[in-house]
Amino acid sequence: MKPIATTLASALALCLPGLLPLHAADLVPLNLFTVPEGLEVKLWAAAPLLHNPTSIDTDKDGRLWVTEGVDYGAKHYQTQPGGDRVTVIEDSDGDGTADKSWTFVQEPALRAPLGIAVIDNQVVVSMAPSLIVYTDVNRDMKFDPAVDSRQVLLTGFNGHNHDHGLHSLTVGADGMWYWSMGNCGAVFTDKSGRTFRIGSPYDIRYGMKLDMDPRDFAGQRSDDGHVYLGGFAARMRPDGSQVEIIGHNFRNSYEHTVTSFGDVFQNDNDDPPACRTSFVMLHGSAGYSSPDGRRTWQADRRPGQPVPVAEWRQEDPGVMPAGDVYGGGAPTGIAFYENGALGDKFAGLLLSCEAGRNSIFGYLPKPDGAGFALERFPFLASNPGQAVNSSDFGSRREQPAEEKFSFRPSDVVVGADGAVYVSDWFDPVVGGGHKYLDEAAAGAVYRIAPKGFKPRVPKLDLGTSEGQAAALHSPAVHVRAAAAARLRAQGAAAIPAVTQCLKDDNAFIRARAAWVLADLGAEARAAVTALLDDADPQMRVAAFRALRQQHADVPGLAARLAQDPSPAMRREVALSLRDVPLAQARSIIVTLAQSCAADDRTAIEAFGIGCTGKEAAVFDAVAAVMGGADPLQWTPAFARIAWRLHPPQVVAALETRALAATLPLSDRRAALVALGCIPSNEAAHAMANVAAQAGDPLKSDAVWWLLNRKDDQWKQAGLAERLKRDGIYDPDKVQLVGIQVPPQPPARLPPVSDILRLKGDAKRGQQFAAACLMCHHIKDQGVDYGPDITAYARMQPSEVVLRAMIEPSADISHGFEGSDTLTKDGKHIHGMTLSSGDPLIIRSQGGMTQMVPAAQIQSTKPLGRSLMLSAEQLGLGAQEIADVLAYLKSL
């Protein structure tokens, strides 16, 4: 391998104008990385071959294609007048280190595009507001408008140059194009002429400018008849037609990955509180905003709920299981390894970039009921202490990486040679600040492969059936996708070559063949139908999904498979019934209900999704078989089904269960939650009956439901007078407290660089940090008001943490923007607006929450600065700040 310095020097001329080259000495030393036993990390490419990589993909010849984000955020707007680039990087001499790069396309419209997919000679770039397809007609890997074509495939995605905008596209084994979007909102029309309206409570008054206000269309129905919210994932035909929303109500999933069985996994970026990696169930909701799209999770957080439970609404019906919720972080790219250089040990490996924790998390998803168990381990880490839950896949280095090295993985991909490639944004800062501090706009790509790996990219002949079938074995998802598209185009002529792949020892390769065969006519579909009896449950699931995609007799197949021994297959059967009329679905649903396990959240939620739009009739049908006249004698499974469906006719039974002291408190609370989700006057007054019970342990819960729903779903119930009569809430008697955060005076402290040189005492710092607990969590102490300091200090370098302490208004995290509410009697209430109904709910310093009656409000406006006091306002000097920093960094 050529020396890294030589690589950089040979490419120096390619450095973008105005950007400083990254010096080799600044790269993360390879000995600071840890990987599983038997693997090694190599630097494959570095600046100036690429800059600020946001997303990467590979072509069939092993080149990497990179979208660059040099022009990211307001600070760097128009750093490059020509716009950002799509760059191609090549190891031209095959020695395992890149030595060449060039620009495929550069446009003013490209400002930190967040996704790229290279599918044969189509280069799909995700750049809000549009999904753009560049077709390299002459295949010279340089976009020429005179020869090549540029198509805006879809448009209408909010968040231009915003990390909550349009994210990367990938291709499933079904040949469909999958893509995702953050919670900025979207109104777009597919090539079938159907319009999708996907809003959220995202407040455009804070942060970066958006083209639309997603609150304006939150809760509106899309043309497919369903309501979708927040961040979402979708799939469609390659021509942009037949869009289907496959999951929604995320916060900001950076990417999705689709396995050859058709399972979809995502990582949802939530900055400090509750980042996660999860399985995406078809048509499932992740629960980030309220079902009507109007309220944030903070507004709906019930008394006593931990943040991960409240944020992903894990106690509410209609929400998917949250998966692996690991707290503070900044998840980015995601990939799934099925075959390649890493060997069979890692087949089925889910890889998730965690830029905030300087790591690539690894998972080997295992069937767990109808869902998956996701046990995390550090696959690649420059600071292994961040990647908790190590396993027997490798050793764990306890000492943190040196802080000057900023490994920020932005994407991960399985290369055409079977190795794993990771792009590194390489910057001290990460999170919602819409900026970067690395003025060199650096970047790198690392390769993870077995020790002594010699890269070899197979030469694939995509002009023949045999060559295309051979390419179905490719470890690179878009290489095999391009081959599958050509096989499908051949029709029946491709059947013999694809059928051979059904004999492969690798189950993922067999599944790829099944998907293609399902598209090759009736004769080939017979072979796929035979797989419904396969011994492997995952293969049966893949076969059923493939047949569904071909619009096979879904009710007929569902009736046949409703008693399959696999909970995963029964999950898929339930999901297939969402849009099937009740007359065709009733008996199948009743069969599925009888096999639902009360403690299998995935199965219960899949059942509920299958009952969409027919909940009341389904409940009666299921009750006739599983229920009983006495709700206190319901089985746990039937009680869970009633909780999930919560039709209007079950109000009295739920009230009985909520008030029954003989039931476990958890069962009573579940009944109360179901009651709170029923938008009827009867449900409202049943909730008031529970709230009227003095001394009942559920009284405070019931009061919360009444106050939070009285002006939306229970607006017509006439609760105002009853709440006054029962002494629960009288707006005329509310006494408000004015709370103002004083403006931050000019700092009198030494420069940050001087404070960094001070030696801090962690023990003393713990004492001084107590002042921060009135607004923040540090470890297991403090208040959920400002960002969790433990997570923030873990993710950011010392300089960034210091600046946040000294100048808290310089960079305000998403979700922590402040408002100034002026009451009619002249009180200012500074805080976070949790709910904009009547009453307005505001949380202020110290976690104090007030309900402000609308009649008492004169005005509400953005505060324009942080709600947090600076370290200097808390009485800390330079040495004390250095001590606090030492303490935070010791956690």
Side-chain angles (χ1 to χ4, degrees):
M1 186 178 81
K2 64 183 75 63
I4 297 299
T6 304
T7 304
L8 294 177
S10 65
L12 188 59
L14 297 172
C15 186
L16 295 179
L19 297 178
L20 302 173
L22 174 67
H23 192 276
D26 294 331
L27 292 166
V28 181
L30 296 181
N31 65 358
L32 289 182
F33 286 108
T34 59
V35 287
E37 193 66 38
L39 302 182
E40 65 181 2
V41 184
K42 295 291 186 183
L43 179 64
W44 189 78
L49 294 178
L50 74 162
H51 294 274
N52 283 14
T54 61
S55 183
I56 58 175
D57 197 11
T58 183
D59 62 24
K60 71 179 182 64
D61 296 311
R63 290 175 288 261
L64 287 189
W65 296 60
V66 182
T67 48
E68 297 182 336
V70 175
D71 208 3
Y72 177 56
K75 178 180 177 182
H76 296 91
Y77 179 51
Q78 291 184 342
T79 299
Q80 301 186 84
D84 271 322
R85 307 185 304 167
V86 173
T87 302
V88 188
I89 310 177
E90 182 177 41
D91 172 11
S92 63
D93 56 11
D95 70 346
T97 305
D99 49 44
K100 244 178 111 176
S101 74
W102 62 91
T103 299
F104 170 71
V105 68
Q106 181 177 22
E107 292 185 356
L110 297 182
R111 290 190 59 200
L114 295 181
I116 186 169
V118 181
I119 311 159
D120 197 7
N121 66 334
Q122 291 182 299
V123 181
V124 187
V125 176
S126 303
M127 181 65 249
S130 303
L131 192 65
I132 306 167
V133 180
Y134 299 93
T135 302
D136 185 14
V137 175
N138 62 5
R139 298 178 181 271
D140 65 351
M141 291 171 286
K142 294 181 180 179
F143 182 74
D144 181 354
V147 178
D148 304 320
S149 72
R150 180 188 190 276
Q151 178 192 11
V152 174
L153 190 62
L154 296 176
T155 193
F157 305 102
N158 219 12
H160 186 62
N161 196 15
H162 195 299
D163 62 327
H164 287 231
L166 187 63
H167 294 297
S168 198
L169 178 143
T170 189
V171 183
D174 54 2
M176 303 288 276
W177 287 11
Y178 291 70
W179 40 276
S180 62
M181 168 78 191
N183 64 340
C184 282
V187 178
F188 68 94
T189 302
D190 72 2
K191 298 302 182 186
S192 306
R194 295 191 305 176
T195 297
F196 293 83
R197 307 163 189 88
I198 307 177
S200 78
Y202 194 106
D203 196 332
I204 68 167
R205 293 177 299 171
Y206 308 113
M208 300 183 70
K209 181 180 182 298
L210 300 180
D211 299 324
M212 303 178 282
D213 189 334
R215 298 171 298 177
D216 290 344
F217 44 91
Q220 290 187 14
R221 216 167 276 279
S222 292
D223 285 1
D224 68 350
H226 297 281
V227 173
Y228 303 110
L229 306 167
F232 65 93
R235 65 185 174 197
M236 64 185 176
R237 296 189 181 280
D239 63 2
S241 66
Q242 300 300 315
V243 165
E244 179 182 21
I245 306 300
I246 62 169
H248 71 112
N249 212 359
F250 314 143
R251 182 182 187 263
N252 184 35
S253 179
Y254 197 89
E255 276 189 4
H256 292 72
T257 187
V258 188
T259 78
S260 290
F261 293 124
D263 296 315
V264 179
F265 294 94
Q266 67 149 3
N267 48 21
D268 208 348
N269 188 327
D270 188 48
D271 291 340
C275 295
R276 67 203 182 103
T277 301
S278 61
F279 166 61
V280 178
M281 190 158 51
L282 183 64
H283 306 312
S285 167
Y288 186 69
S289 69
S290 61
D292 62 2
R294 300 291 176 182
R295 300 184 306 279
T296 66
W297 69 268
Q298 293 97 328
D300 285 349
R301 183 181 181 184
R302 299 193 285 276
Q305 280 189 322
V307 169
V309 172
E311 181 161 347
W312 304 118
R313 299 176 195 264
Q314 291 300 285
E315 294 177 339
D316 295 5
V319 177
M320 297 181 288
D324 175 35
V325 182
Y326 55 83
T332 47
I334 193 168
F336 197 79
Y337 172 89
E338 299 180 346
N339 62 297
L342 273 57
D344 294 342
K345 178 181 180 180
F346 290 101
L349 172 66
L350 178 65
L351 294 167
S352 179
C353 295
E354 198 8 289
R357 297 191 178 213
N358 319 112
S359 301
I360 306 289
F361 289 160
Y363 301 87
L364 287 168
K366 302 295 183 188
D368 182 21
F372 292 92
L374 295 172
E375 183 178 350
R376 175 177 7 110
F377 66 90
F379 178 78
L380 172 68
S382 67
N383 190 355
Q386 306 278 32
V388 297
N389 293 359
S390 181
S391 76
D392 61 353
F393 277 84
S395 61
R396 179 168 172 174
R397 185 187 300 266
E398 294 300 335
Q399 70 271 23
E402 294 180 43
E403 196 170 85
K404 68 177 181 177
F405 301 115
S406 303
F407 176 57
R408 300 297 193 188
S410 58
D411 204 2
V412 57
V413 68
V414 181
D417 59 1
V420 171
Y421 290 83
V422 175
S423 59
D424 180 9
W425 174 275
F426 194 89
D427 195 88
V429 72
V430 68
H434 298 114
K435 65 181 181 180
Y436 57 84
L437 298 182
D438 173 27
E439 296 300 332
V445 174
Y446 296 93
R447 187 194 71 205
I448 300 92
K451 292 178 180 178
F453 175 71
K454 303 296 183 186
R456 189 184 71 82
V457 179
K459 297 298 182 185
L460 299 172
D461 180 6
L462 296 185
T464 66
S465 297
E466 292 72 21
Q468 294 157 12
L472 276 186
H473 293 72
S474 175
V477 60
H478 294 146
V479 175
R480 58 183 185 254
R486 294 195 182 202
L487 287 165
R488 288 183 171 97
Q490 286 193 53
I495 293 176
V498 180
T499 301
Q500 286 298 311
C501 296
L502 281 180
K503 303 174 184 178
D504 199 278
D505 292 337
N506 186 303
F508 293 106
I509 294 173
R510 295 200 301 275
R512 297 168 198 169
W515 286 102
V516 175
L517 286 170
D519 288 345
L520 299 183
E523 176 189 345
R525 276 196 292 276
V528 182
T529 302
L531 292 174
L532 295 175
D533 297 317
D534 196 272
D536 183 349
Q538 291 180 295
M539 190 63 67
R540 298 201 300 273
V541 167
F544 178 55
R545 286 168 167 166
L547 292 168
R548 277 191 64 201
Q549 290 282 72
Q550 289 304 310
H551 305 289
D553 175 17
V554 171
L557 287 172
R560 170 184 167 181
L561 299 169
Q563 297 185 64
D564 190 281
S566 167
M569 177 60 89
R570 299 196 300 271
R571 173 199 74 216
E572 290 302 307
V573 170
L575 297 173
S576 74
L577 300 174
R578 182 186 73 151
D579 296 315
V580 174
L582 177 66
Q584 296 174 274
R586 182 187 282 108
S587 63
I588 306 170
I589 288 175
V590 171
T591 299
L592 291 169
Q594 293 173 289
S595 66
C596 275
D599 59 352
D600 190 338
R601 278 287 314 278
T602 304
I604 294 293
E605 182 54 27
F607 178 83
I609 291 171
C611 298
T612 299
K614 38 189 181 278
E615 289 89 351
V618 164
F619 179 82
D620 288 342
V622 173
V625 176
M626 296 178 63
D630 183 359
L632 301 186
Q633 300 301 314
W634 285 354
T635 65
F638 183 69
R640 208 60 174 161
I641 287 171
W643 168 85
R644 174 57 182 86
L645 298 181
H646 52 273
Q649 67 265 38
V650 81
V651 165
L654 291 174
E655 180 183 352
T656 298
R657 288 180 65 85
L659 289 170
T662 57
L663 289 180
L665 187 59
S666 59
D667 290 355
R668 295 180 61 195
R669 182 169 280 115
L672 193 76
V673 169
L675 199 60
C677 295
I678 300 175
S680 71
N681 294 349
E682 292 77 12
H685 287 282
M687 187 66 73
N689 292 340
V690 178
Q693 306 301 309
D696 193 286
L698 292 184
K699 179 181 176 67
S700 62
D701 294 60
V703 169
W704 182 93
W705 281 104
L706 291 167
L707 293 177
N708 276 266
R709 295 293 182 269
K710 71 180 184 65
D711 291 313
D712 46 65
Q713 71 174 20
W714 291 338
K715 192 171 185 177
Q716 306 304 318
L719 285 174
E721 288 305 314
R722 178 163 184 180
L723 294 178
K724 285 183 181 181
R725 184 191 71 201
D726 292 350
I728 293 174
Y729 177 69
D730 185 345
D732 297 331
K733 296 181 179 179
V734 171
Q735 299 295 314
L736 299 174
V737 177
I739 300 178
Q740 297 188 60
V741 179
Q744 181 185 329
R748 294 170 295 177
L749 295 167
V752 168
S753 57
D754 289 353
I755 300 177
L756 280 172
R757 284 193 284 268
L758 296 175
K759 181 175 177 57
D761 183 320
K763 189 172 182 179
R764 278 169 36 92
Q766 182 175 6
Q767 299 174 0
F768 295 129
C772 307
L773 296 177
M774 65 179 291
C775 291
H776 301 276
H777 248 112
I778 300 178
K779 296 181 71 175
D780 56 352
Q781 294 184 306
V783 175
D784 285 322
Y785 177 57
D788 185 312
I789 293 184
T790 314
Y792 186 81
R794 178 190 296 127
M795 290 192 298
Q796 309 290 10
S798 294
E799 179 183 358
V800 174
V801 177
L802 277 181
R803 289 192 185 280
M805 294 168 64
I806 296 169
E807 301 177 68
S809 295
D811 184 13
I812 303 174
S813 296
H814 284 317
F816 296 96
E817 302 88 354
S819 63
D820 177 8
T821 298
L822 176 63
T823 64
K824 290 182 178 177
D825 62 355
K827 294 186 179 77
H828 286 270
I829 304 175
H830 291 175
M832 290 183 291
T833 301
L834 301 185
S835 178
S836 55
D838 182 9
L840 187 73
I841 302 176
I842 304 173
R843 183 178 296 157
S844 301
Q845 276 191 349
M848 181 178 181
T849 301
Q850 298 189 76
M851 294 180 292
V852 186
Q856 295 191 34
I857 297 174
Q858 180 172 314
S859 65
T860 297
K861 62 182 180 180
L863 185 60
R865 52 187 169 86
S866 174
L867 293 166
M868 314 304 158
L869 296 175
S870 69
E872 197 169 0
Q873 286 174 300
L874 293 173
L876 301 182
Q879 182 59 58
E880 288 85 357
I881 293 172
D883 293 339
V884 172
L885 178 65
Y887 167 61
L888 295 176
K889 285 299 183 179
S890 73
L891 300 178

